[in-house]
Amino acid sequence: MKRANVNSKGNTNNLEQENGVKEFLPVANLEKAVKEIVEQPNVDGIEDPLVEFSEAMRTVGKVLRQAAEAKAAAKAEATEWKRKYELERERNRELECKGPTFSEQKIEDSTQNLKNPEIAENSQKCCGENGICSHEVLRDRGPDSYPNVHSKLTRKASFKLQWCSKSKKDDQHKHDIVSFEKGNITTAERSSKQISLKWETPPQTVLILTKPNSTSVKILCAEMVRWLKEKRNMNIFVEPRVRNELLAESSYYSFAQSWKDDKEIWRLHEVVDLVVTLGGDGTVLWAASKFKGPVPPIVPFSLGSLGFMTPFYSERYKECLKSILEGPISITLRHRLQCHVVRGENENEGPILVLNEVTIDRGISSFLTNLECYSDNSFVTTVQGDGLILSTTSGSTAYSLAAGGSMVHPQVPGILFTPICPHSLSFRPLILPEHVTLRVQVPVNSRGNAWASFDGKDRKQLAPGDALVCSMAAWPVPTACRGDSTSDFLHSIHDGLHWNLRRTQSFDGPRDL
């Protein structure tokens, strides 16, 4: 662009622009020149053009000032991001120096055991068609591994998972999809087929979790505990609250066991073969939250207002439990999300596991939520609106559905990315692959704070500069099916949501000729 000279009372200001604004220092001189031009005496015939020129110069000055402010803010934000990047890289180096985690060590030990020729030979013998076998017998626990368990319990029930495949040629020996390790279920990749669980040794210990403040649930729980003890001779765990209620009713229930502190809760998966829930979907979420790692198979009975994850009817609990304890049963592997809240330099809160969704919203703030979202190393978008929902496919029929997200089969691997009342009509929901790690950052120049809630509870405040990191958890939640995963899912949306329910079109309308 050519140079523009503005002369007024002997003062000259030279502005040089090359493909945009190069420097912002001449802004003050420009405003001074405009002021001098405006203060000149009016001359007949050029008053109107001079006024228009002065207004145009004021607009240019305002744009230059805004550009300078934006450049300064961008530099400050870039400096902050660089600082956080360096801190996170240093933290990752420290974690690498500490060696493998507990779960990685278990996988390594399992790999070493499979290298043993005797174990490998046994695994070849036990593998059936389309089968996924355990490869090892459960080792005895020491007497002090769980002090509240009766001394006669030395082994946890063993089982194997099988594909329900109609063709004998389809996907035999899928050891890399679902693996069995010491009574725990983990997934290296997600399954696209219906999975069946077959007990190899009978289950001995059951954990019963109930919805609180319900008289009908209390009565059913007492009946179920008595039946499981007398007819099936099982060892029964209940919550401390439920055990007190049972003992208040009768001293007969003194055999029911419970836990004392969080350390015993974290080790429940070591002794519990089966979990029974009496309530609605909220009780299933509560049961899943009790297990931070491996989760035993869950049998959910419907005693709530909604039943997307509770296919079993409480009136027929004896028949249902008998068929499940004898097996085989169809199960649905419900994936969970693992979340971390990153604050400041070295603060990292978590992990927090959710079965439905994690929600980031504006809370009590009157300003729109401003969230920067990244998938691995790729920028996704900036969310401006009421918030964002990161949901599992099991949670697709919960908050995500109310915010406009799609209904997804619970065994479809993926993470739902659903905005809440976005400030853009083109902002539609996404379904991202399961292997990505999502990072939701509150910008340092955000007008207000954000709030994160996990399965509708445990709200945490996210200040400017804080971030939420979310990825697929290694341990899914296996829930028993009344039929199979697909029929249960379709029944739940028909019965719970009245999906596509309408009257049949009558035959008395116009007909094609």
Side-chain angles (χ1 to χ4, degrees):
M1 183 178 291
K2 295 181 179 180
R3 295 183 178 180
N5 297 326
V6 180
N7 298 324
S8 176
K9 295 183 180 181
N11 293 330
T12 302
N13 292 321
N14 295 328
L15 302 178
E16 181 177 352
Q17 300 180 356
E18 297 178 359
N19 298 325
V21 180
K22 183 177 180 181
E23 297 292 342
F24 302 104
L25 295 178
V27 174
N29 296 335
L30 178 61
E31 293 178 349
K32 182 178 179 181
V34 172
K35 183 177 180 181
E36 292 176 354
I37 293 174
V38 174
E39 291 177 352
Q40 286 183 354
N42 295 334
V43 180
D44 294 340
I46 64 170
E47 180 178 357
D48 294 339
L50 183 59
V51 172
E52 294 178 359
F53 177 73
S54 64
E55 293 294 335
M57 296 303 292
R58 287 195 184 95
T59 303
V60 173
K62 182 178 179 180
V63 171
L64 292 176
R65 190 182 304 108
Q66 292 177 349
E69 293 174 355
K71 181 179 180 182
K75 285 184 177 180
E77 187 172 357
T79 303
E80 180 67 17
W81 272 103
K82 182 178 180 181
R83 183 181 66 85
K84 289 183 177 295
Y85 171 76
E86 295 294 339
L87 291 173
E88 187 169 355
R89 186 173 65 174
E90 186 65 25
R91 184 161 54 247
N92 292 336
R93 288 176 180 174
E94 294 177 359
L95 292 176
E96 291 177 358
C97 294
K98 290 181 180 179
T101 60
F102 176 72
S103 59
E104 292 171 346
Q105 187 64 42
K106 290 178 66 178
I107 295 175
E108 183 178 353
D109 295 341
S110 177
T111 304
Q112 293 296 329
N113 290 336
L114 290 177
K115 293 180 180 179
N116 190 317
E118 182 179 356
I119 297 177
E121 182 179 358
N122 293 334
S123 67
Q124 292 295 330
K125 291 180 180 179
C126 70
C127 279
E129 291 186 348
N130 301 324
I132 306 151
C133 301
S134 63
H135 303 303
E136 62 177 350
V137 179
L138 299 180
R139 294 181 294 182
D140 293 348
R141 294 183 302 273
D144 298 330
S145 63
Y146 206 94
N148 288 338
V149 182
H150 197 272
S151 59
K152 70 177 182 179
L153 290 179
T154 58
R155 293 179 181 271
K156 184 179 173 180
S158 174
F159 57 85
K160 68 177 180 180
L161 302 179
Q162 293 180 319
W163 303 123
C164 292
S165 177
K166 296 181 181 178
S167 174
K168 294 184 178 181
K169 298 181 180 180
D170 289 345
D171 299 321
Q172 295 186 5
H173 310 297
K174 284 287 187 177
H175 301 291
D176 60 333
I177 302 296
V178 180
S179 63
F180 171 91
E181 182 185 358
K182 301 177 183 178
N184 304 321
I185 299 175
T186 181
T187 53
E189 298 176 13
R190 303 303 184 221
S191 167
S192 60
K193 288 182 169 56
Q194 174 59 46
I195 300 174
S196 176
L197 183 147
K198 181 179 179 180
W199 301 104
E200 293 187 324
T201 57
Q204 304 177 55
T205 306
V206 61
L207 168 64
I208 301 178
L209 299 175
T210 66
K211 180 176 68 174
N213 305 322
S214 174
T215 303
S216 60
V217 170
K218 291 180 182 179
I219 296 174
L220 177 62
C221 179
E223 293 180 0
M224 185 178 293
V225 169
R226 182 185 291 270
W227 181 80
L228 287 172
K229 184 64 178 178
E230 294 178 353
K231 301 299 182 181
R232 309 296 302 191
N233 193 28
M234 300 196 69
N235 299 278
I236 300 168
F237 274 78
V238 294
E239 298 173 79
R241 168 186 57 83
V242 177
R243 188 174 189 275
N244 294 334
E245 293 174 353
L246 293 174
L247 291 177
E249 180 179 341
S250 173
S251 59
Y252 166 81
Y253 297 101
S254 58
F255 60 82
Q257 303 176 63
S258 187
W259 53 85
K260 297 179 181 179
D261 51 30
D262 291 340
K263 292 183 179 180
E264 294 187 0
I265 293 178
W266 295 337
R267 300 175 62 184
L268 275 176
H269 70 276
E270 297 180 3
V271 294
V272 172
D273 299 321
L274 199 67
V275 179
V276 174
T277 64
L278 305 179
D281 290 346
T283 309
V284 179
L285 298 178
W286 172 248
S289 67
K290 292 292 183 184
F291 300 91
K292 305 303 180 183
V295 186
I298 296 178
V299 184
F301 285 91
S302 177
L303 287 161
S305 56
L306 286 177
F308 294 107
M309 293 187 285
T310 54
F312 295 98
Y313 299 121
S314 59
E315 297 83 3
R316 304 174 60 184
Y317 76 88
K318 295 180 182 179
E319 178 183 345
C320 295
L321 288 178
K322 181 179 179 182
S323 63
I324 288 170
L325 293 174
E326 293 175 356
I329 58 174
S330 296
I331 64 170
T332 300
L333 290 181
R334 300 184 180 272
H335 315 308
R336 292 189 291 180
L337 297 179
Q338 179 174 282
C339 306
H340 295 265
V341 177
V342 181
R343 305 182 189 275
E345 298 181 355
N346 296 314
E347 297 183 21
N348 192 338
E349 301 177 11
I352 305 171
L353 297 177
V354 296
L355 181 56
N356 265 359
E357 76 279 314
V358 53
T359 304
I360 306 101
D361 56 62
R362 65 181 183 175
I364 61 175
S365 174
S366 59
F367 298 109
L368 293 178
T369 302
N370 188 16
L371 304 171
E372 296 176 348
C373 305
Y374 297 85
S375 174
D376 294 332
N377 295 324
S378 301
F379 175 73
V380 180
T381 188
T382 298
V383 177
Q384 286 184 305
D386 283 352
L388 176 68
I389 301 171
L390 301 178
S391 171
T392 65
T393 50
S394 293
S396 67
T397 52
Y399 194 3
S400 176
L401 180 63
S406 178
M407 293 186 294
V408 186
H409 191 288
Q411 282 196 185
V412 174
I415 302 175
L416 279 66
F417 187 93
T418 308
I420 306 173
C421 298
H423 204 247
S424 171
L425 294 178
S426 63
F427 195 169
R428 313 316 301 164
L430 295 176
I431 300 179
L432 299 171
E434 58 165 342
H435 59 79
V436 302
T437 297
L438 296 175
R439 181 184 181 95
V440 181
Q441 177 88 28
V442 181
V444 293
N445 60 350
S446 177
R447 287 185 172 185
N449 299 322
W451 293 82
S453 59
F454 308 89
D455 276 342
K457 59 182 184 298
D458 300 333
R459 284 177 67 83
K460 294 181 180 294
Q461 182 175 341
L462 301 178
D466 294 345
L468 177 75
V469 180
C470 181
S471 60
M472 190 73 76
W475 307 102
V477 177
T479 58
C481 301
R482 188 160 60 97
D484 57 64
S485 61
T486 300
S487 63
D488 283 6
F489 172 69
L490 295 176
H491 179 270
S492 68
I493 63 175
H494 282 294
D495 188 57
L497 294 177
H498 304 293
W499 179 60
N500 197 27
L501 181 64
R502 57 154 292 175
R503 292 183 178 180
T504 304
Q505 190 174 15
S506 62
F507 291 98
D508 56 357
R511 299 176 180 271
D512 295 333
L513 297 178

